Amino acid sequence: MQKVSVVGLGYIGTVLAACLCEKGLSVHGIDVDEGTVDKIRRGIPLVSDGLLPALIGRHTSDGRFRVTTDMSVVRNTDVILVTVGTPLNEDYSPDMTEVETACRCIAKYLRRQHLVILRSTIVPGTTAEVILPILEKGSGLKAGEDFMLAFCPERLGEGTRVTDFEGGVLEEFNSIPVIVGGVDSRSTDVAAQFWDSLGMDTVRVSSSRAAELAKLADNWWIDLNIAIANELALLCEKMQVDSDEVIEAANTLPKNRSSVNILLPGCGVGGSCLPKDPWFVHYLGRKCGLELKTCRLSREINDYMPVHMYDLITQALKDNGRSIEDARIAVLGLAFKQSTGDTRNTPATALIHLLTENGAEVKAFDPWVGTEEGKRVAGECLADSLEEALKESDCIALVSAQPEFRSISFGEIRTLVASPCAVVDGRRAFSSEEVRRNGFTYWAIGLGKKS
Ligand SMILES: NC(=O)c1ccc[n+]([C@@H]2O[C@H](COP(=O)([O-])OP(=O)(O)OC[C@H]3O[C@@H](n4cnc5c(N)ncnc54)[C@H](O)[C@@H]3O)[C@@H](O)[C@H]2O)c1
């Protein structure tokens, strides 16, 4: 079995390491952050994501996953996977510093036969034009001859990537094909063989540049598709038609080898990728002399959705004879998405800000988000429990459809909340029938008020 090192133990690195351990590999994790390494060493990942905490606990205690701040351990491994962060600068340009710094350090320990795979989302051209020279210069070795270099983008979705591992099932990791683009054909072959040896499907492309663009094309498409769903939802609310019904019907049209596939609208798009990657595309377009419009537009539309959620809340309150200034709002969900504790770019931030700025009393809760992180997002509005958040609320606003919220019994909570109480469902996660049967009014994105 090959020995692997994973450089960068953030959200992606820990998931990847855990999945590789499940495949039977021995994994060395390296991160510059001592606090991160210390936590993982104790079996605690930085974020709750599906079954990730259980997997990390399992493999730090069985010794298959070892972590350190010392980059020299990569020398004793066969494959080096790079999963460091690639954030946006304030002017929306990409910041490739972490990848470049990590690769400068890796270069010192590079040896013949090494396979280096970049997994971070990067600006197309980076692997061949920036990383290759860094690795060659720092090691004195030649890519494609002495060591192999490829880009294989991370494609797993947060909250769904490690959902069922008992019995060896890691659904997304096993089922999503790995795009493989080497800096030369030998690098592509060797990188593809690595994934093949793990039983994973691969899609070989002719260059690292094509693989880099394919990753961005995926997220460009997803963000734009959600933007269409969101604008359709706004239109449906005006036309008093349910967007869920429209989308379900529209998606039955076969198109090319697939079908129309409009995604779901919601109260906002967050996380580390979708709010960022369309800007990478925009930046790249400009570098090529193009002013690409769709990526900018999708960002604008999707960033507007927390404002629309706020508007729905004010309408729902007004409908119940209340106003925002004297209302108590339970905001359910601080993570950007269900089944994760990741709060990066969460729509909850903008929504809580709008609500409090306009005089509402807000109590926010998310069982997947720790207290420290919760305070960072919700400040003084953070509640310690679901019960505290719901108590005497005039409106329940659902931001992330955590399983614990989906299973709320509206019959049981009706005595806890104020009367009347409105439910504003930003994720279409509640049953409108159950909500209304128990005396609440039901409002939702893409529906407005359920009459
Ligand atoms: N989060 C996701 O769901 C997701 C999905 C697909 C792709 N991606 C891409 O994967 C990459 C990683 O994302 P993430 O969310 O895990 O980022 P992250 O910021 O959570 O993690 C990056 C980690 O790298 C460490 N690091 C930085 N410089 C280092 C160095 N020189 N050596 C060793 N470690 C170093 C940091 O301390 C941090 O722990 C990004 O490019 C992102 O766009 C993320």
PDB file of all heavy atoms in Angstrom, residues 100-131:
ATOM      1  N   GLU A 100       1.467  28.282  -2.947  1.00  0.00           N
ATOM      2  CA  GLU A 100       2.860  28.538  -3.333  1.00  0.00           C
ATOM      3  C   GLU A 100       3.808  28.281  -2.157  1.00  0.00           C
ATOM      4  O   GLU A 100       4.843  27.630  -2.313  1.00  0.00           O
ATOM      5  CB  GLU A 100       3.009  29.977  -3.840  1.00  0.00           C
ATOM      6  CG  GLU A 100       2.294  30.181  -5.160  1.00  0.00           C
ATOM      7  CD  GLU A 100       2.320  31.631  -5.616  1.00  0.00           C
ATOM      8  OE1 GLU A 100       3.266  32.367  -5.273  1.00  0.00           O
ATOM      9  OE2 GLU A 100       1.383  32.033  -6.339  1.00  0.00           O
ATOM     10  N   THR A 101       3.416  28.760  -0.956  1.00  0.00           N
ATOM     11  CA  THR A 101       4.276  28.570   0.220  1.00  0.00           C
ATOM     12  C   THR A 101       4.417  27.084   0.542  1.00  0.00           C
ATOM     13  O   THR A 101       5.518  26.587   0.811  1.00  0.00           O
ATOM     14  CB  THR A 101       3.679  29.305   1.442  1.00  0.00           C
ATOM     15  OG1 THR A 101       3.377  30.628   1.042  1.00  0.00           O
ATOM     16  CG2 THR A 101       4.627  29.317   2.612  1.00  0.00           C
ATOM     17  N   ALA A 102       3.279  26.367   0.527  1.00  0.00           N
ATOM     18  CA  ALA A 102       3.324  24.935   0.852  1.00  0.00           C
ATOM     19  C   ALA A 102       4.229  24.206  -0.146  1.00  0.00           C
ATOM     20  O   ALA A 102       5.045  23.363   0.243  1.00  0.00           O
ATOM     21  CB  ALA A 102       1.912  24.351   0.837  1.00  0.00           C
ATOM     22  N   CYS A 103       4.117  24.554  -1.428  1.00  0.00           N
ATOM     23  CA  CYS A 103       4.909  23.839  -2.440  1.00  0.00           C
ATOM     24  C   CYS A 103       6.394  24.196  -2.346  1.00  0.00           C
ATOM     25  O   CYS A 103       7.252  23.353  -2.606  1.00  0.00           O
ATOM     26  CB  CYS A 103       4.345  24.099  -3.836  1.00  0.00           C
ATOM     27  SG  CYS A 103       2.778  23.234  -4.049  1.00  0.00           S
ATOM     28  N   ARG A 104       6.688  25.415  -1.938  1.00  0.00           N
ATOM     29  CA  ARG A 104       8.094  25.778  -1.719  1.00  0.00           C
ATOM     30  C   ARG A 104       8.696  24.895  -0.626  1.00  0.00           C
ATOM     31  O   ARG A 104       9.823  24.423  -0.722  1.00  0.00           O
ATOM     32  CB  ARG A 104       8.198  27.254  -1.303  1.00  0.00           C
ATOM     33  CG  ARG A 104       8.852  28.080  -2.369  1.00  0.00           C
ATOM     34  CD  ARG A 104       8.951  29.545  -2.061  1.00  0.00           C
ATOM     35  NE  ARG A 104       8.335  30.248  -3.169  1.00  0.00           N
ATOM     36  CZ  ARG A 104       7.246  30.980  -3.109  1.00  0.00           C
ATOM     37  NH1 ARG A 104       6.642  31.169  -1.967  1.00  0.00           N
ATOM     38  NH2 ARG A 104       6.752  31.542  -4.193  1.00  0.00           N
ATOM     39  N   CYS A 105       7.894  24.648   0.394  1.00  0.00           N
ATOM     40  CA  CYS A 105       8.363  23.818   1.510  1.00  0.00           C
ATOM     41  C   CYS A 105       8.445  22.339   1.082  1.00  0.00           C
ATOM     42  O   CYS A 105       9.425  21.654   1.398  1.00  0.00           O
ATOM     43  CB  CYS A 105       7.391  24.012   2.669  1.00  0.00           C
ATOM     44  SG  CYS A 105       8.051  23.443   4.210  1.00  0.00           S
ATOM     45  N   ILE A 106       7.448  21.878   0.332  1.00  0.00           N
ATOM     46  CA  ILE A 106       7.453  20.478  -0.147  1.00  0.00           C
ATOM     47  C   ILE A 106       8.695  20.233  -1.006  1.00  0.00           C
ATOM     48  O   ILE A 106       9.340  19.185  -0.923  1.00  0.00           O
ATOM     49  CB  ILE A 106       6.158  20.183  -0.960  1.00  0.00           C
ATOM     50  CG1 ILE A 106       4.947  20.133  -0.030  1.00  0.00           C
ATOM     51  CG2 ILE A 106       6.280  18.872  -1.752  1.00  0.00           C
ATOM     52  CD1 ILE A 106       3.606  20.142  -0.759  1.00  0.00           C
ATOM     53  N   ALA A 107       9.041  21.228  -1.832  1.00  0.00           N
ATOM     54  CA  ALA A 107      10.163  21.071  -2.771  1.00  0.00           C
ATOM     55  C   ALA A 107      11.452  20.645  -2.066  1.00  0.00           C
ATOM     56  O   ALA A 107      12.248  19.880  -2.608  1.00  0.00           O
ATOM     57  CB  ALA A 107      10.379  22.375  -3.536  1.00  0.00           C
ATOM     58  N   LYS A 108      11.617  21.123  -0.830  1.00  0.00           N
ATOM     59  CA  LYS A 108      12.855  20.805  -0.094  1.00  0.00           C
ATOM     60  C   LYS A 108      12.966  19.310   0.184  1.00  0.00           C
ATOM     61  O   LYS A 108      14.057  18.788   0.390  1.00  0.00           O
ATOM     62  CB  LYS A 108      12.847  21.528   1.261  1.00  0.00           C
ATOM     63  CG  LYS A 108      12.979  23.010   1.175  1.00  0.00           C
ATOM     64  CD  LYS A 108      13.191  23.561   2.580  1.00  0.00           C
ATOM     65  CE  LYS A 108      12.334  24.795   2.769  1.00  0.00           C
ATOM     66  NZ  LYS A 108      12.071  25.127   4.143  1.00  0.00           N
ATOM     67  N   TYR A 109      11.820  18.640   0.250  1.00  0.00           N
ATOM     68  CA  TYR A 109      11.825  17.216   0.623  1.00  0.00           C
ATOM     69  C   TYR A 109      11.431  16.309  -0.541  1.00  0.00           C
ATOM     70  O   TYR A 109      11.207  15.126  -0.360  1.00  0.00           O
ATOM     71  CB  TYR A 109      10.876  16.992   1.813  1.00  0.00           C
ATOM     72  CG  TYR A 109      11.213  17.902   2.953  1.00  0.00           C
ATOM     73  CD1 TYR A 109      10.445  19.035   3.220  1.00  0.00           C
ATOM     74  CD2 TYR A 109      12.348  17.667   3.731  1.00  0.00           C
ATOM     75  CE1 TYR A 109      10.774  19.902   4.244  1.00  0.00           C
ATOM     76  CE2 TYR A 109      12.692  18.537   4.769  1.00  0.00           C
ATOM     77  CZ  TYR A 109      11.899  19.646   5.011  1.00  0.00           C
ATOM     78  OH  TYR A 109      12.249  20.499   6.025  1.00  0.00           O
ATOM     79  N   LEU A 110      11.331  16.896  -1.727  1.00  0.00           N
ATOM     80  CA  LEU A 110      10.904  16.108  -2.888  1.00  0.00           C
ATOM     81  C   LEU A 110      12.015  15.137  -3.298  1.00  0.00           C
ATOM     82  O   LEU A 110      13.198  15.474  -3.240  1.00  0.00           O
ATOM     83  CB  LEU A 110      10.606  17.082  -4.037  1.00  0.00           C
ATOM     84  CG  LEU A 110       9.533  16.673  -5.033  1.00  0.00           C
ATOM     85  CD1 LEU A 110       8.189  16.442  -4.347  1.00  0.00           C
ATOM     86  CD2 LEU A 110       9.367  17.769  -6.092  1.00  0.00           C
ATOM     87  N   ARG A 111      11.609  13.931  -3.690  1.00  0.00           N
ATOM     88  CA  ARG A 111      12.609  12.952  -4.139  1.00  0.00           C
ATOM     89  C   ARG A 111      12.087  12.280  -5.411  1.00  0.00           C
ATOM     90  O   ARG A 111      10.912  12.439  -5.778  1.00  0.00           O
ATOM     91  CB  ARG A 111      12.912  11.937  -3.042  1.00  0.00           C
ATOM     92  CG  ARG A 111      11.685  11.217  -2.541  1.00  0.00           C
ATOM     93  CD  ARG A 111      12.006  10.004  -1.715  1.00  0.00           C
ATOM     94  NE  ARG A 111      10.775   9.443  -1.176  1.00  0.00           N
ATOM     95  CZ  ARG A 111       9.889   8.750  -1.863  1.00  0.00           C
ATOM     96  NH1 ARG A 111      10.061   8.528  -3.153  1.00  0.00           N
ATOM     97  NH2 ARG A 111       8.803   8.275  -1.289  1.00  0.00           N
ATOM     98  N   ARG A 112      12.964  11.490  -6.029  1.00  0.00           N
ATOM     99  CA  ARG A 112      12.562  10.759  -7.238  1.00  0.00           C
ATOM    100  C   ARG A 112      11.390   9.857  -6.919  1.00  0.00           C
ATOM    101  O   ARG A 112      11.296   9.355  -5.802  1.00  0.00           O
ATOM    102  CB  ARG A 112      13.736   9.916  -7.752  1.00  0.00           C
ATOM    103  CG  ARG A 112      14.739  10.745  -8.492  1.00  0.00           C
ATOM    104  CD  ARG A 112      15.967   9.954  -8.876  1.00  0.00           C
ATOM    105  NE  ARG A 112      17.113  10.843  -8.933  1.00  0.00           N
ATOM    106  CZ  ARG A 112      17.326  11.715  -9.910  1.00  0.00           C
ATOM    107  NH1 ARG A 112      16.510  11.790 -10.935  1.00  0.00           N
ATOM    108  NH2 ARG A 112      18.370  12.516  -9.871  1.00  0.00           N
ATOM    109  N   GLN A 113      10.516   9.643  -7.899  1.00  0.00           N
ATOM    110  CA  GLN A 113       9.325   8.782  -7.788  1.00  0.00           C
ATOM    111  C   GLN A 113       8.162   9.417  -7.019  1.00  0.00           C
ATOM    112  O   GLN A 113       7.120   8.797  -6.869  1.00  0.00           O
ATOM    113  CB  GLN A 113       9.617   7.405  -7.132  1.00  0.00           C
ATOM    114  CG  GLN A 113      10.768   6.624  -7.714  1.00  0.00           C
ATOM    115  CD  GLN A 113      10.585   6.351  -9.199  1.00  0.00           C
ATOM    116  OE1 GLN A 113       9.469   6.171  -9.670  1.00  0.00           O
ATOM    117  NE2 GLN A 113      11.666   6.364  -9.943  1.00  0.00           N
ATOM    118  N   HIS A 114       8.351  10.610  -6.505  1.00  0.00           N
ATOM    119  CA  HIS A 114       7.237  11.246  -5.799  1.00  0.00           C
ATOM    120  C   HIS A 114       6.114  11.600  -6.778  1.00  0.00           C
ATOM    121  O   HIS A 114       6.386  12.015  -7.905  1.00  0.00           O
ATOM    122  CB  HIS A 114       7.705  12.544  -5.127  1.00  0.00           C
ATOM    123  CG  HIS A 114       7.799  12.445  -3.634  1.00  0.00           C
ATOM    124  ND1 HIS A 114       8.759  13.096  -2.898  1.00  0.00           N
ATOM    125  CD2 HIS A 114       7.031  11.783  -2.714  1.00  0.00           C
ATOM    126  CE1 HIS A 114       8.597  12.833  -1.615  1.00  0.00           C
ATOM    127  NE2 HIS A 114       7.564  12.041  -1.480  1.00  0.00           N
ATOM    128  N   LEU A 115       4.876  11.469  -6.301  1.00  0.00           N
ATOM    129  CA  LEU A 115       3.721  11.955  -7.061  1.00  0.00           C
ATOM    130  C   LEU A 115       3.105  13.095  -6.251  1.00  0.00           C
ATOM    131  O   LEU A 115       2.705  12.895  -5.101  1.00  0.00           O
ATOM    132  CB  LEU A 115       2.699  10.824  -7.251  1.00  0.00           C
ATOM    133  CG  LEU A 115       1.296  11.225  -7.731  1.00  0.00           C
ATOM    134  CD1 LEU A 115       1.342  11.867  -9.117  1.00  0.00           C
ATOM    135  CD2 LEU A 115       0.359   9.998  -7.756  1.00  0.00           C
ATOM    136  N   VAL A 116       3.063  14.290  -6.844  1.00  0.00           N
ATOM    137  CA  VAL A 116       2.454  15.440  -6.164  1.00  0.00           C
ATOM    138  C   VAL A 116       1.126  15.737  -6.850  1.00  0.00           C
ATOM    139  O   VAL A 116       1.071  15.907  -8.078  1.00  0.00           O
ATOM    140  CB  VAL A 116       3.366  16.698  -6.237  1.00  0.00           C
ATOM    141  CG1 VAL A 116       2.713  17.877  -5.517  1.00  0.00           C
ATOM    142  CG2 VAL A 116       4.745  16.402  -5.662  1.00  0.00           C
ATOM    143  N   ILE A 117       0.070  15.762  -6.044  1.00  0.00           N
ATOM    144  CA  ILE A 117      -1.261  16.053  -6.604  1.00  0.00           C
ATOM    145  C   ILE A 117      -1.824  17.289  -5.912  1.00  0.00           C
ATOM    146  O   ILE A 117      -1.985  17.316  -4.692  1.00  0.00           O
ATOM    147  CB  ILE A 117      -2.223  14.854  -6.393  1.00  0.00           C
ATOM    148  CG1 ILE A 117      -1.729  13.627  -7.172  1.00  0.00           C
ATOM    149  CG2 ILE A 117      -3.643  15.231  -6.806  1.00  0.00           C
ATOM    150  CD1 ILE A 117      -2.578  12.377  -6.990  1.00  0.00           C
ATOM    151  N   LEU A 118      -2.132  18.302  -6.705  1.00  0.00           N
ATOM    152  CA  LEU A 118      -2.779  19.487  -6.155  1.00  0.00           C
ATOM    153  C   LEU A 118      -4.270  19.248  -6.155  1.00  0.00           C
ATOM    154  O   LEU A 118      -4.850  18.822  -7.167  1.00  0.00           O
ATOM    155  CB  LEU A 118      -2.465  20.728  -6.993  1.00  0.00           C
ATOM    156  CG  LEU A 118      -1.002  21.140  -7.082  1.00  0.00           C
ATOM    157  CD1 LEU A 118      -0.855  22.381  -7.952  1.00  0.00           C
ATOM    158  CD2 LEU A 118      -0.427  21.417  -5.706  1.00  0.00           C
ATOM    159  N   ARG A 119      -4.892  19.533  -5.020  1.00  0.00           N
ATOM    160  CA  ARG A 119      -6.320  19.258  -4.846  1.00  0.00           C
ATOM    161  C   ARG A 119      -7.085  20.577  -4.591  1.00  0.00           C
ATOM    162  O   ARG A 119      -8.288  20.647  -4.743  1.00  0.00           O
ATOM    163  CB  ARG A 119      -6.400  18.331  -3.641  1.00  0.00           C
ATOM    164  CG  ARG A 119      -7.601  17.506  -3.436  1.00  0.00           C
ATOM    165  CD  ARG A 119      -7.659  16.236  -4.215  1.00  0.00           C
ATOM    166  NE  ARG A 119      -8.888  15.564  -3.820  1.00  0.00           N
ATOM    167  CZ  ARG A 119      -9.591  14.761  -4.549  1.00  0.00           C
ATOM    168  NH1 ARG A 119      -9.205  14.440  -5.747  1.00  0.00           N
ATOM    169  NH2 ARG A 119     -10.708  14.232  -4.107  1.00  0.00           N
ATOM    170  N   SER A 120      -6.353  21.592  -4.145  1.00  0.00           N
ATOM    171  CA  SER A 120      -6.984  22.893  -3.876  1.00  0.00           C
ATOM    172  C   SER A 120      -7.509  23.493  -5.169  1.00  0.00           C
ATOM    173  O   SER A 120      -6.948  23.241  -6.248  1.00  0.00           O
ATOM    174  CB  SER A 120      -5.959  23.872  -3.290  1.00  0.00           C
ATOM    175  OG  SER A 120      -5.335  23.344  -2.154  1.00  0.00           O
ATOM    176  N   THR A 121      -8.546  24.306  -5.070  1.00  0.00           N
ATOM    177  CA  THR A 121      -9.066  24.991  -6.252  1.00  0.00           C
ATOM    178  C   THR A 121      -8.130  26.151  -6.590  1.00  0.00           C
ATOM    179  O   THR A 121      -7.890  27.017  -5.746  1.00  0.00           O
ATOM    180  CB  THR A 121     -10.484  25.530  -5.971  1.00  0.00           C
ATOM    181  OG1 THR A 121     -11.277  24.444  -5.497  1.00  0.00           O
ATOM    182  CG2 THR A 121     -11.104  26.142  -7.211  1.00  0.00           C
ATOM    183  N   ILE A 122      -7.623  26.146  -7.805  1.00  0.00           N
ATOM    184  CA  ILE A 122      -6.619  27.160  -8.159  1.00  0.00           C
ATOM    185  C   ILE A 122      -6.972  27.834  -9.489  1.00  0.00           C
ATOM    186  O   ILE A 122      -7.814  27.334 -10.234  1.00  0.00           O
ATOM    187  CB  ILE A 122      -5.195  26.547  -8.237  1.00  0.00           C
ATOM    188  CG1 ILE A 122      -5.210  25.291  -9.117  1.00  0.00           C
ATOM    189  CG2 ILE A 122      -4.661  26.236  -6.865  1.00  0.00           C
ATOM    190  CD1 ILE A 122      -3.879  24.568  -9.167  1.00  0.00           C
ATOM    191  N   VAL A 123      -6.317  28.929  -9.738  1.00  0.00           N
ATOM    192  CA  VAL A 123      -6.548  29.629 -10.999  1.00  0.00           C
ATOM    193  C   VAL A 123      -5.934  28.798 -12.130  1.00  0.00           C
ATOM    194  O   VAL A 123      -4.782  28.374 -12.028  1.00  0.00           O
ATOM    195  CB  VAL A 123      -5.883  31.028 -10.970  1.00  0.00           C
ATOM    196  CG1 VAL A 123      -6.087  31.745 -12.302  1.00  0.00           C
ATOM    197  CG2 VAL A 123      -6.447  31.861  -9.842  1.00  0.00           C
ATOM    198  N   PRO A 124      -6.698  28.525 -13.198  1.00  0.00           N
ATOM    199  CA  PRO A 124      -6.157  27.721 -14.296  1.00  0.00           C
ATOM    200  C   PRO A 124      -4.806  28.238 -14.798  1.00  0.00           C
ATOM    201  O   PRO A 124      -4.633  29.439 -15.024  1.00  0.00           O
ATOM    202  CB  PRO A 124      -7.259  27.809 -15.351  1.00  0.00           C
ATOM    203  CG  PRO A 124      -8.508  27.921 -14.531  1.00  0.00           C
ATOM    204  CD  PRO A 124      -8.134  28.785 -13.363  1.00  0.00           C
ATOM    205  N   GLY A 125      -3.900  27.310 -14.905  1.00  0.00           N
ATOM    206  CA  GLY A 125      -2.537  27.664 -15.313  1.00  0.00           C
ATOM    207  C   GLY A 125      -1.561  27.522 -14.155  1.00  0.00           C
ATOM    208  O   GLY A 125      -0.354  27.367 -14.358  1.00  0.00           O
ATOM    209  N   THR A 126      -2.088  27.548 -12.906  1.00  0.00           N
ATOM    210  CA  THR A 126      -1.201  27.576 -11.731  1.00  0.00           C
ATOM    211  C   THR A 126      -0.314  26.332 -11.631  1.00  0.00           C
ATOM    212  O   THR A 126       0.884  26.435 -11.334  1.00  0.00           O
ATOM    213  CB  THR A 126      -2.036  27.728 -10.433  1.00  0.00           C
ATOM    214  OG1 THR A 126      -2.820  28.911 -10.545  1.00  0.00           O
ATOM    215  CG2 THR A 126      -1.160  27.828  -9.206  1.00  0.00           C
ATOM    216  N   THR A 127      -0.875  25.134 -11.870  1.00  0.00           N
ATOM    217  CA  THR A 127      -0.077  23.909 -11.677  1.00  0.00           C
ATOM    218  C   THR A 127       1.165  23.933 -12.571  1.00  0.00           C
ATOM    219  O   THR A 127       2.287  23.744 -12.088  1.00  0.00           O
ATOM    220  CB  THR A 127      -0.916  22.646 -12.007  1.00  0.00           C
ATOM    221  OG1 THR A 127      -2.137  22.710 -11.282  1.00  0.00           O
ATOM    222  CG2 THR A 127      -0.171  21.372 -11.638  1.00  0.00           C
ATOM    223  N   ALA A 128       0.946  24.188 -13.858  1.00  0.00           N
ATOM    224  CA  ALA A 128       2.060  24.102 -14.801  1.00  0.00           C
ATOM    225  C   ALA A 128       2.941  25.345 -14.780  1.00  0.00           C
ATOM    226  O   ALA A 128       4.163  25.249 -14.953  1.00  0.00           O
ATOM    227  CB  ALA A 128       1.529  23.861 -16.211  1.00  0.00           C
ATOM    228  N   GLU A 129       2.309  26.510 -14.568  1.00  0.00           N
ATOM    229  CA  GLU A 129       3.090  27.745 -14.725  1.00  0.00           C
ATOM    230  C   GLU A 129       3.688  28.275 -13.417  1.00  0.00           C
ATOM    231  O   GLU A 129       4.659  29.011 -13.436  1.00  0.00           O
ATOM    232  CB  GLU A 129       2.213  28.831 -15.363  1.00  0.00           C
ATOM    233  CG  GLU A 129       1.976  28.557 -16.842  1.00  0.00           C
ATOM    234  CD  GLU A 129       0.637  29.074 -17.321  1.00  0.00           C
ATOM    235  OE1 GLU A 129       0.214  30.148 -16.865  1.00  0.00           O
ATOM    236  OE2 GLU A 129       0.000  28.382 -18.152  1.00  0.00           O
ATOM    237  N   VAL A 130       3.083  27.923 -12.286  1.00  0.00           N
ATOM    238  CA  VAL A 130       3.584  28.450 -11.009  1.00  0.00           C
ATOM    239  C   VAL A 130       4.179  27.336 -10.141  1.00  0.00           C
ATOM    240  O   VAL A 130       5.298  27.448  -9.649  1.00  0.00           O
ATOM    241  CB  VAL A 130       2.440  29.180 -10.238  1.00  0.00           C
ATOM    242  CG1 VAL A 130       2.944  29.737  -8.919  1.00  0.00           C
ATOM    243  CG2 VAL A 130       1.824  30.273 -11.099  1.00  0.00           C
ATOM    244  N   ILE A 131       3.408  26.249  -9.973  1.00  0.00           N
ATOM    245  CA  ILE A 131       3.848  25.199  -9.038  1.00  0.00           C
ATOM    246  C   ILE A 131       4.998  24.371  -9.617  1.00  0.00           C
ATOM    247  O   ILE A 131       5.952  24.048  -8.908  1.00  0.00           O
ATOM    248  CB  ILE A 131       2.640  24.308  -8.640  1.00  0.00           C
ATOM    249  CG1 ILE A 131       1.553  25.180  -7.995  1.00  0.00           C
ATOM    250  CG2 ILE A 131       3.077  23.186  -7.710  1.00  0.00           C
ATOM    251  CD1 ILE A 131       2.006  26.018  -6.810  1.00  0.00           C
TER     252      ILE A 131
END
